[in-house]
Structures are given as structure tokens and as C-alpha cells.
């Protein structure tokens, strides 16, 4: 039993190391895109905190979702955040599954390049919308009488640039459209395309629908924020995905990693075998050959035996 565990641990470690080398090579080639995506996340956070400074609390707007769904309240608001955290962490762990499991369909670096491109584009559109018109926040901490509904002007540059934790947990004014739905829909659509488990795909879409209802029930957003997110995010992902280059096939490992000594020896033996059998290593250089009286002719023209030539002379 101990020997088996040790052997499997050794295989897992080798798999992790091989995957790490591959991803480092990809990171060296694509770090600019990842950095741009991370900077875009920070800019979006600054914009969301900035609109909080100009937020003015007021009466909650009439909303169909508020009539249909009872409010969770401050005591049960964690339910919506818990589901979102589960979706978020599940997707992050899935993007790193090639380091552990044998079934490898994606490259972690490349999949995050695509995801960040979707997120940044949607967030840019979101910034345009919530700065165009500021709506009174429906959440409990954004209503009239709450100390968190309005932010005092920042006293220092450092205070203006720090967006956590209050800028993330207690934001007001960044309503149309829902940032939670941007992340959830982007993650689910990405797994829909590159995931392998049909049951997980169906469960993921069900969880996003439940997430939509919980966002309205917790009064984090108006119903319009969720509705706009559903068609905006799906359209953005659809069109940008068509513009981006498709992920390379995981079976073509030689494009990303140099051949090992064992692979090189195997490839050399294969080429020598082809040459001994009269086949060139280059498929474009292969020609049809015919054997007559122990001699080989090319392009279908037989080589006439010397005796036959002399007799016919």
C-alpha cells in the first residue's frame, strides 16, 4: 500500500512539474495580456468606488422583482454572497485542474487571458452606464439614514486609491448592470465551451439563475440590473470569443515544450524506419514506387532489366 501511494505521488509530482513548465512558457509569452486584465479589474474597482462619492440616497424605485421576491434583509444577505463565492472559487479551481488531473483540455494561462478579456470589456460598458445615471441604491446600507450611503471625500491620495474592503462590500451607486452577473455568466459560458462534464454545465446554469434571483432578493441590485447583465454579457462573450484565436490543441505539446531526449530518440528511430522502407520523412516528398525484378522505380515508370534491354536492341 505504501509503495502504491509513493508511486502515485511520484506520478502526480511529475505531472505538476511538467504542467508548471508549460504554463511558465505560456506566461512568458502572454504576461502582458494578464497584466492588462488585472489592471482593468483595479480600474473597475476605482470607478465603482468613485461613483459612491456622488451617490445620493433616496426612495427605492418601483421594481417588479421586489414585489415578487421577499427581501432577505441584512441578516440573510450572506446567502447571495455565499453562492457567488462558490461559483467564483469553483471556476478558479477548475482552471487549475490540468495540474492535477490527466484529462487536460485547457491551458490555465490561455483560459484566463480569454476570461479577463470578457470581464474587462463588460466592466468598461458597466462603468459607462452607472456613471451616466446614478440611481438610489436599494440595498439596506445605501438607503436614507444609513451612514454608509454616502462617502466623505477622501483626505489623502492613498485613501482614494484603496478600494478594499469597504469599497467592495459596501458600494453604492454602481448599479446598471450587475458585476456579480458579469463574473457568473462569464465563468459559466467559459465552462460551457471548454468543460467536459455535462451535468456540471447544467448545474452551473441553474446556479446562475438562482444567483440572479438572490441578487434581487438581497436588494443588491434592481431587477433591470440583472436583466441587462444577462443579454449584455452573453453578447459580449459571443462576439469577442469569435475575434480571439482559438485555444491550441493540448495534444500538440511540441508547440509549447521542447522535446525530451526520449521523445527525440523515438522520433529519430521512426524517421530511420521510414527511410529504410523507402519513405521520406516529408509527406510532400513521397512518391509512388514500384518494384520490378528486384529494382525500384519511381512515379510508376518501371526500370527495365539490363538483359531485356540488350535483347531488344
Amino acid at each position: 500500500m505504501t509503495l502504491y501511494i509513493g508511486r502515485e505521488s511520484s506520478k502526480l509530482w511529475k505531472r505538476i512539474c511538467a504542467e508548471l513548465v508549460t504554463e511558465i512558457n505560456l506566461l512568458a509569452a502572454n504576461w502582458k495580456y494578464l497584466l492588462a486584465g488585472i489592471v482593468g479589474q483595479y480600474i473597475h474597482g476605482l470607478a465603482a468606488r468613485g461613483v459612491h462619492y456622488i451617490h445620493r440616497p433616496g426612495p427605492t424605485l418601483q421594481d417588479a422583482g421586489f414585489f415578487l421576491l421577499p427581501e432577505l434583509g441584512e441578516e440573510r444577505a450572506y446567502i447571495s454572497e455565499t453562492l457567488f463565492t462558490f461559483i467564483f472559487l469553483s471556476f478558479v479551481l477548475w482552471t487549475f485542474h490540468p495540474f492535477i488531473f490527466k484529462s487536460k483540455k485547457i491551458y490555465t494561462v490561455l483560459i484566463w487571458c480569454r476570461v479577463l478579456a470578457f470581464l474587462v470589456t463588460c466592466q468598461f460598458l458597466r462603468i459607462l452606464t452607472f456613471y451616466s445615471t446614478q440611481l438610489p441604491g436599494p440595498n439596506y446600507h445605501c438607503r436614507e439614514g444609513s451612514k454608509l450611503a454616502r462617502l466623505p471625500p477622501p483626505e489623502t491620495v492613498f485613501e482614494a486609491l484603496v478600494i478594499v474592503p469597504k469599497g467592495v462590500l459596501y458600494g453604492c451607486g454602481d448599479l446598471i448592470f450587475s458585476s456579480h452577473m458579469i463574473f457568473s455568466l462569464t465563468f459559466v459560458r467559459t465552462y460551457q465551451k471548454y468543460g467536459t462534464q455535462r451535468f456540471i454545465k447544467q448545474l452551473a446554469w441553474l446556479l446562475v439563475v438562482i444567483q440572479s434571483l438572490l441578487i434581487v432578493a438581497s436588494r443588491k441590485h434592481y431587477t433591470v440590473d440583472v436583466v441587462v447583465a444577462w443579454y449584455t454579457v452573453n453578447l459580449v462573450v459571443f462576439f469577442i470569443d469569435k475575434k480571439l484565436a482559438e485555444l491550441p490543441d493540448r495534444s500538440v505539446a511540441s508547440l509549447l515544450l521542447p522535446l525530451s531526449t526520449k521523445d527525440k530518440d523515438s522520433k529519430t528511430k521512426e524517421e530511420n524506419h521510414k527511410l529504410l522502407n523507402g519513405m521520406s520523412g516529408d509527406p510532400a516528398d513521397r512518391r509512388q514506387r514500384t518494384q520490378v525484378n528486384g529494382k525500384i522505380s519511381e512515379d510508376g515508370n518501371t526500370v527495365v532489366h539490363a538483359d531485356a534491354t540488350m535483347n531488344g536492341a
Side-chain angles (χ1 to χ4, degrees):
M1 182 67 178
T2 305
L3 180 62
Y4 173 78
I5 295 176
R7 185 170 63 249
E8 292 300 317
S9 300
S10 177
K11 290 180 180 179
L12 178 60
W13 175 246
K14 290 179 180 178
R15 187 181 308 133
I16 293 175
C17 291
E19 197 68 26
L20 187 61
V21 172
T22 302
E23 296 295 342
I24 289 176
N25 289 339
L26 289 172
L27 182 60
N30 298 277
W31 67 270
K32 295 180 181 179
Y33 303 107
L34 292 176
L35 180 61
I38 295 174
V39 171
Q41 299 303 302
Y42 177 70
I43 293 175
H44 171 259
L46 282 181
R49 183 169 176 80
V51 79
H52 195 169
Y53 288 112
I54 60 178
H55 173 258
R56 297 294 180 267
T60 303
L61 303 180
Q62 184 174 343
D63 189 280
F66 293 177
F67 286 109
L68 298 175
L69 298 172
E71 183 176 358
L72 294 177
E74 183 178 356
E75 299 78 12
R76 294 176 292 176
Y78 70 91
I79 298 176
S80 175
E81 286 299 321
T82 301
L83 179 57
F84 174 75
T85 303
F86 174 76
I87 295 174
F88 186 93
L89 293 180
S90 298
F91 180 80
V92 171
L93 291 175
W94 171 74
T95 61
F96 286 91
H97 84 276
F99 287 84
I100 305 297
F101 299 100
K102 294 181 180 180
S103 57
K104 305 172 183 179
K105 190 178 179 181
I106 63 170
Y107 292 104
T108 303
V109 170
L110 298 182
I111 204 71
W112 274 109
C113 286
R114 301 180 78 88
V115 168
L116 287 172
F118 302 149
L119 292 178
V120 170
T121 304
C122 291
Q123 289 165 341
F124 174 75
L125 296 176
R126 181 173 187 259
I127 292 172
L128 293 179
T129 56
F130 66 63
Y131 267 105
S132 299
T133 303
Q134 289 80 49
L135 303 178
N139 211 341
Y140 67 90
H141 64 266
C142 298
R143 299 170 188 171
E144 291 181 300
S146 173
K147 295 181 179 180
L148 298 174
R150 300 182 64 177
L151 286 181
E155 298 180 356
T156 63
V157 176
F158 178 77
E159 183 182 350
L161 297 179
V162 174
I163 60 177
V164 291
K166 290 186 177 180
V168 175
L169 299 177
Y170 299 103
C172 296
D174 57 326
L175 293 174
I176 300 177
F177 43 96
S178 171
S179 179
H180 285 62
M181 293 304 299
I182 291 177
F183 281 91
S184 299
L185 287 170
T186 298
F187 292 165
V188 172
R189 282 192 62 97
T190 302
Y191 186 81
Q192 178 70 33
K193 182 174 181 179
Y194 297 106
T196 56
Q197 301 297 324
R198 183 179 179 183
F199 170 74
I200 296 180
K201 294 179 182 181
Q202 296 173 342
L203 177 62
W205 283 111
L206 176 61
L207 291 179
V208 173
V209 173
I210 296 175
Q211 175 75 63
S212 304
L213 300 176
L214 288 177
I215 288 174
V216 177
S218 61
R219 304 302 189 258
K220 295 181 183 297
H221 284 275
Y222 292 104
T223 305
V224 65
D225 306 339
V226 176
V227 172
V228 171
W230 266 97
Y231 62 74
T232 302
V233 177
N234 279 292
L235 287 174
V236 167
V237 173
F238 175 77
F239 285 108
I240 293 184
D241 188 62
K242 296 174 73 67
K243 297 295 183 180
L244 296 176
E246 191 51 78
L247 292 183
D249 188 358
R250 289 258 5 190
S251 62
V252 189
S254 59
L255 296 178
L256 301 174
L257 285 176
L259 290 175
S260 63
T261 305
K262 183 177 180 181
D263 294 335
K264 289 181 179 179
D265 293 341
S266 176
K267 187 175 181 180
T268 303
K269 290 180 180 179
E270 183 180 355
E271 291 178 350
N272 291 337
H273 179 72
K274 291 179 179 180
L275 290 173
L276 289 174
N277 286 275
M279 297 175 62
S280 171
D282 186 3
D285 193 41
R286 296 174 185 171
R287 289 172 291 185
Q288 186 178 1
R289 305 181 180 190
T290 309
Q291 183 173 354
V292 179
N293 294 330
K295 295 190 177 183
I296 299 176
S297 65
E298 298 184 357
D299 298 330
N301 297 321
T302 59
V303 178
V304 183
H305 197 277
D307 295 339
T309 305
M310 294 178 62
N311 293 332

